[in-house]
Amino acid sequence: MKTLFINESLIAGGIETFMVRLAANNVSNQAKINFLLLKRNYDAELYQQLCQYSNVYFWDDFVYFPKSITNKLPSVLKMLLPIKKQKFINEILIDLNHIHVPDTNALFFLSRFSNLAKDMKISFSLGIYHINEYNFLKYKKVYFIRKLIGFIKSVESKNFLFFNEISRDTYSELYKLDSNESYLAPIGIELKNAKNNCVGKKNVRIVSVGRLSPWKTYNYHIIDVIDKWNNEEYKIYYENYGDGVERDKLEQKVKELNLEERIKFYPSIKYSDFSKTISDSLLFIGAGTALIEASAEGIPALIGIENHDKTDPKTYGFLHDFTTYSYQEKELKYEMKDISFYILKLLNMTTDQYEAECKLAKKSRRFRNK
C-alpha cells in the first residue's frame, strides 16, 4: 500500500513532527508513505529525517512556471497553475492507493484532483487536526470557500479522521456527518529511548515550545501571571522556544512591563533538542503534541486553552489529569482555574510530592503507541 500525505510545508510543528514519526513507523509496517509539500519551505533536520523513510515531492516541480515565480505565490494560487499532468501521474499517482490531507490548502489541492484520483481508484481521507481548520461556513460568500464547502459536503463520513472527541462532535453538526462512521484516532507520540527518570525539577522555571500563533493565548497569560507575582515570594521565569507572527507583540508587552529579565522568547529549536530544552523546568505550558511529549518526559504539562481571552489567564489543568483525547479546545465544558493556582500547587509541594506528580505525568499513556 502506498499513501500520499499532502502538507503546506515542513517547518517544525506538531503536524510536521507527526509526519516524520508516521513515515518512520510505516516503513516497518511495509506501508509506504510519500509526501507532497506545497511550499519549498522546510526544517533541514525534519526534511533529512523524512527523506530517510519517504519520497518527498514539491508542488513547484509539477507546474509550468519557474521556481523564482512560484516561490513567491501563495499555495492556493500555485495550485491554479497549469501542471505537467503526465509527470504528476507518473511520479506521484501511479500505484498510489490513498491520499491524506490535514489542512485547508491541502484540501483545495485534493478537490482539484478528486476526479483524477477517482478515475485511478485512489481513496482519500480528511484529517481534522485542529477544530477550526474547516470551520469556515461563515465565509461561504468567498468563491474558493464555497467550492471547498461543496467538496466537504460531498465527502462520505467514513473519509473523515478525527483526533479528539470535540472535533468529531463539532463537524458532525457542521457538515451533518455520521459520527459512528468517521474515525477517531488521536495523534500519538513515540519515545523509543525515553529515560526512566523524570526531567522535571522543583524550581521556578516554566517553559514552552511552539510557534507563536494568535490562537496560543497562553503566551499572554503567563506574562500576566508573572507580572502579578513580580513583588511576591516566588519569582517565576518563563522561556518560549519558537517563532511566529505574535512574537513582536509578546516581546513588546514584556518590555512595557519591564519583565525582560524574567521572560525570554527564543528562536525555534531542533526537534531532537526538545527533551534537553525542556528539562529541569517546574512545568511545561502549551498545547498540541508538544504538550503531550512534555508530559511523557515527566514534566507536569499545563494545558493552554486555544483562543481563550488574552486577559483571562485560565487553564483546565494538567494533561495527566484528563482521560479524554480533547484537552485544549475552548469549547470544552471543563472547569477552568487560574494558571497561578496550578503553579502554586507545584511550588508548595515537597520534593517527594513533586516527583510523584512528575511520575503521574510520565505514566499518562493514552497518546503513546507503547
Side-chain angles (χ1 to χ4, degrees):
M1 179 176 180
K2 191 166 72 171
T3 296
L4 180 70
F5 195 116
I6 305 171
N7 201 51
E8 178 81 355
S9 64
L10 194 64
I11 57 177
I15 293 179
E16 291 76 19
T17 54
F18 173 65
M19 287 164 55
V20 174
R21 294 194 298 273
L22 187 67
N25 187 68
N26 280 273
V27 168
S28 60
N29 290 338
Q30 297 182 339
K32 182 77 170 181
I33 299 182
N34 293 329
F35 293 84
L36 176 64
L37 302 180
L38 303 179
K39 286 185 178 179
R40 198 174 290 269
N41 186 12
Y42 55 84
D43 175 272
E45 181 187 46
L46 290 181
Y47 179 69
Q48 184 178 24
Q49 291 179 10
L50 193 60
C51 289
Q52 293 179 24
Y53 313 113
S54 305
N55 296 317
V56 182
Y57 302 98
F58 294 96
W59 179 238
D60 291 351
D61 294 328
F62 297 94
V63 299
Y64 284 108
F65 275 78
K67 295 180 181 61
S68 58
I69 295 178
T70 57
N71 284 341
K72 300 176 182 178
L73 295 177
S75 296
V76 68
L77 293 182
K78 288 200 291 186
M79 285 183 282
L80 295 174
L81 299 176
I83 71 163
K84 303 171 184 177
K85 183 176 179 181
Q86 199 56 50
K87 175 182 172 68
F88 182 66
I89 292 174
N90 293 341
E91 295 188 21
I92 293 185
L93 297 186
I94 290 295
D95 298 325
L96 187 67
N97 304 99
H98 189 81
I99 299 175
H100 179 75
V101 297
D103 60 26
T104 303
N105 283 332
L107 177 66
F108 180 65
F109 173 94
L110 179 62
S111 68
R112 180 182 177 188
F113 293 99
S114 58
N115 289 333
L116 182 58
K118 183 178 180 181
D119 292 341
M120 300 184 72
K121 298 182 179 179
I122 301 171
S123 61
F124 61 88
S125 57
L126 279 61
I128 314 297
Y129 290 74
H130 188 282
I131 193 170
N132 291 320
E133 185 62 44
Y134 307 130
N135 185 6
F136 37 52
L137 291 177
K138 62 182 178 181
Y139 302 112
K140 58 185 178 182
K141 290 184 179 180
V142 179
Y143 174 77
F144 288 120
I145 298 300
R146 287 204 307 274
K147 288 292 185 181
L148 287 178
I149 291 172
F151 180 71
I152 291 174
K153 288 183 176 180
S154 72
V155 176
E156 295 183 52
S157 299
K158 66 180 181 180
N159 292 69
F160 285 83
L161 174 62
F162 295 97
F163 295 94
N164 60 31
E165 302 90 344
I166 186 67
S167 292
R168 183 174 61 180
D169 294 343
T170 298
Y171 281 84
S172 294
E173 181 177 347
L174 281 175
Y175 290 103
K176 311 305 178 186
L177 304 177
D178 184 346
S179 60
N180 293 320
E181 290 189 4
S182 58
Y183 290 93
L184 179 64
I187 293 179
I189 62 170
E190 182 177 7
L191 298 176
K192 292 182 179 179
N193 299 315
K195 298 178 181 178
N196 292 324
N197 62 303
C198 301
V199 298
K201 186 175 182 180
K202 190 171 180 295
N203 57 20
V204 290
R205 178 179 182 248
I206 297 174
V207 65
S208 298
V209 176
R211 297 174 195 160
L212 297 174
S213 304
W215 64 269
K216 295 182 179 180
T217 48
Y218 59 83
N219 290 298
Y220 289 93
H221 295 158
I222 200 68
I223 295 174
D224 288 335
V225 168
I226 292 176
D227 181 50
K228 289 179 181 179
W229 281 0
N230 199 27
N231 296 315
E232 297 187 19
E233 178 183 358
Y234 299 109
K235 281 199 171 184
I236 301 299
Y237 295 81
Y238 175 62
E239 300 171 9
N240 183 90
Y241 294 83
D243 295 308
V245 295
E246 293 294 294
R247 181 165 183 170
D248 289 343
K249 295 179 184 177
L250 288 162
E251 290 184 329
Q252 180 61 33
K253 181 171 183 176
V254 169
K255 184 176 181 180
E256 290 172 356
L257 296 173
N258 296 315
L259 293 173
E260 295 98 320
E261 295 301 318
R262 306 264 299 283
I263 300 174
K264 304 287 187 182
F265 290 94
Y266 296 104
S268 300
I269 58 171
K270 294 180 180 179
Y271 183 52
S272 57
D273 289 336
F274 180 83
S275 179
K276 178 177 66 176
T277 301
I278 68 173
S279 65
D280 296 330
S281 56
L282 176 73
L283 65 86
F284 184 99
I285 183 169
T289 54
L291 189 74
I292 302 170
E293 295 198 52
S295 185
E297 291 277 7
I299 296 181
L302 195 59
I303 297 168
I305 303 174
E306 60 185 39
N307 292 312
H308 189 57
D309 185 347
K310 291 180 181 179
T311 64
D312 185 28
K314 295 259 176 52
T315 176
Y316 296 129
F318 294 116
L319 182 68
H320 63 263
D321 291 328
F322 279 66
T323 57
T324 60
Y325 299 129
S326 306
Y327 58 89
Q328 67 188 42
E329 289 78 11
K330 70 175 182 179
E331 293 84 0
L332 300 175
K333 304 302 181 183
Y334 301 132
E335 180 185 6
M336 293 188 292
K337 292 183 179 180
D338 286 342
I339 288 174
S340 57
F341 170 84
Y342 292 96
I343 298 174
L344 281 171
K345 178 181 178 181
L346 296 182
L347 289 171
N348 289 328
M349 288 179 174
T350 65
T351 300
D352 288 344
Q353 288 173 331
Y354 177 76
E355 289 180 356
E357 195 77 8
C358 290
K359 290 177 181 178
L360 288 174
K362 196 175 185 67
K363 289 181 179 179
S364 180
R365 292 186 170 272
R366 68 190 183 282
F367 295 102
R368 300 182 65 172
N369 70 344
K370 293 184 180 180

